[in-house]
Amino acid sequence: MRNIITIIIGSVLIGFAFNFFLIPHKILSGGLSGIAIILGIVTPLNTGLLNFLLNLPLLIIGLLKLGKRFIGYTILSVVVMSVSLYVIPVYDMSDEPILGSLFGGVLAGVGVGIIFRASGSSGGFDIIAMLLAKKRDFPLGAIISCMNAVVVLISGFVFSWDAALLTLVSIYASGKAIDMVHTNHIKLTLMIITSKGDDMKKQLLSTLYRGITIMDGEGAYTGENRKVLITVITRYQLSDVKNIIHEVDPRAFVNITETKEVIGMFDRG
């Protein structure tokens, strides 16, 4: 239920960003939603309806590659976002196109990042980005920004190159916002030194889908034996791991470092 509510909030936020900041200045978002905005401006069809129709083929692909729960959340996001685009009136919140581009891009990026954190996506290029991210530890925002270059070119030819440049600003701001909210590509290495090694191992293995390496250690000053547990987790899992460590051994010494790259068997989720 928490994921569903989160996805609804993120999708409505995207619809708000489009209709209040981007569409009034003919600034596009990225991906299929950007193409839907173009078609919504140049044709009498509603942007929300076009967004839903354009997403259908990718939803089918995602169902085959990414699982039913992910696609179920994605369908929910696409439907809520399409309804939001249909219901929320188009209103020019800012007279300055550059401000509309920045604020619209950031709000849309935050909305997409929130949806990613709830194990869903907003459809379109997000599905392709998720497929790529499962193979490599690429930042999703960066992947989406690269794929959106085609939308910038279309914007330049259909409207003006000023609109294309503003679209580029919006896409860049959106990508940065996504990577600030969605941090699953960030990996952390934990070294846990504890006198309750067996209890710590059991709790971590029962809660996390992660491997753990255990070594024997000895305190240089006290001479007491310790267990050293080493594991690699995602940034999302850090809060849960901290709670587990505190419950099992509040006196444990923990060193947390950001991992640049993981080679070998590591489930990327």
Side-chain angles (χ1 to χ4, degrees), residues 121-190:
S121 83
S122 59
F125 288 174
D126 296 354
I127 296 176
I128 301 174
M130 292 291 279
L131 289 170
L132 294 174
K134 283 178 68 69
K135 302 297 182 181
R136 299 283 182 178
D137 289 325
F138 293 132
L140 280 176
I143 298 175
I144 294 170
S145 295
C146 291
M147 291 192 296
N148 284 331
V150 63
V151 180
V152 177
L153 292 175
I154 294 173
S155 175
F157 285 109
V158 174
F159 301 121
S160 68
W161 289 108
D162 284 343
L165 293 175
L166 289 170
T167 298
L168 187 61
V169 171
S170 173
I171 291 172
Y172 179 80
S174 181
K176 288 296 182 181
I178 291 171
D179 287 336
M180 287 181 62
V181 178
H182 179 79
T183 57
N184 194 51
H185 63 281
I186 298 176
K187 306 297 182 289
L188 304 173
T189 297
L190 273 65

Side-chain angles (χ1 to χ4, degrees), residues 137 185-189 232 257-263 268:
D137 289 325
H185 63 281
I186 298 176
K187 306 297 182 289
L188 304 173
T189 297
V232 179
T257 56
E258 187 170 323
T259 302
K260 185 175 182 180
E261 185 178 3
V262 177
I263 299 174
R268 290 174 170 82

Side-chain angles (χ1 to χ4, degrees), residues 15-248:
F16 177 82
F18 284 4
N19 284 0
F20 273 58
F21 291 100
L22 300 181
I23 293 178
H25 297 290
K26 295 183 178 179
I27 300 170
L28 308 183
S29 70
L32 293 184
S33 57
I35 297 174
I37 292 175
I38 294 176
L39 295 176
I41 292 173
V42 300
T43 69
L45 297 177
N46 181 267
T47 302
L49 176 62
L50 290 166
N51 181 68
F52 181 77
L53 294 176
L54 290 173
N55 273 285
L56 278 178
L58 283 177
L59 289 174
I60 296 172
I61 295 173
L63 178 63
L64 299 175
K65 298 292 184 178
L66 296 172
K68 294 181 179 179
R69 188 181 72 163
F70 173 81
I71 289 303
Y73 286 159
T74 301
I75 291 173
L76 173 64
S77 174
V78 170
V79 170
V80 173
M81 186 168 66
S82 298
V83 171
S84 298
L85 289 169
Y86 187 84
V87 173
I88 297 174
V90 176
Y91 175 75
D92 191 355
M93 180 68 76
S94 173
D95 294 331
E96 293 292 333
I98 186 65
L99 293 178
S101 176
L102 285 171
F103 278 92
V106 169
L107 283 178
V110 171
V112 172
I114 289 173
I115 294 169
F116 280 148
R117 292 203 67 151
S119 302
S121 83
S122 59
F125 288 174
D126 296 354
I127 296 176
I128 301 174
M130 292 291 279
L131 289 170
L132 294 174
K134 283 178 68 69
K135 302 297 182 181
R136 299 283 182 178
D137 289 325
F138 293 132
L140 280 176
I143 298 175
I144 294 170
S145 295
C146 291
M147 291 192 296
N148 284 331
V150 63
V151 180
V152 177
L153 292 175
I154 294 173
S155 175
F157 285 109
V158 174
F159 301 121
S160 68
W161 289 108
D162 284 343
L165 293 175
L166 289 170
T167 298
L168 187 61
V169 171
S170 173
I171 291 172
Y172 179 80
S174 181
K176 288 296 182 181
I178 291 171
D179 287 336
M180 287 181 62
V181 178
H182 179 79
T183 57
N184 194 51
H185 63 281
I186 298 176
K187 306 297 182 289
L188 304 173
T189 297
L190 273 65
M191 179 183 288
I192 308 167
I193 302 174
T194 175
S195 59
K196 301 179 179 180
D198 290 337
D199 293 338
M200 188 73 71
K201 178 188 70 174
K202 290 178 182 178
Q203 284 293 99
L204 291 174
L205 288 177
S206 64
T207 306
L208 299 175
Y209 186 66
R210 297 294 171 211
I212 302 172
T213 299
I214 302 177
M215 299 184 293
D216 292 322
E218 179 181 316
Y221 181 74
T222 63
E224 296 179 356
N225 293 327
R226 297 282 191 273
K227 289 294 184 180
V228 182
L229 289 75
I230 301 174
T231 186
V232 179
I233 63 174
T234 67
R235 180 65 179 80
Y236 283 0
Q237 296 173 311
L238 181 58
S239 178
D240 292 336
V241 172
K242 284 182 176 179
N243 291 334
I244 293 171
I245 294 171
H246 183 73
E247 290 175 3
V248 176

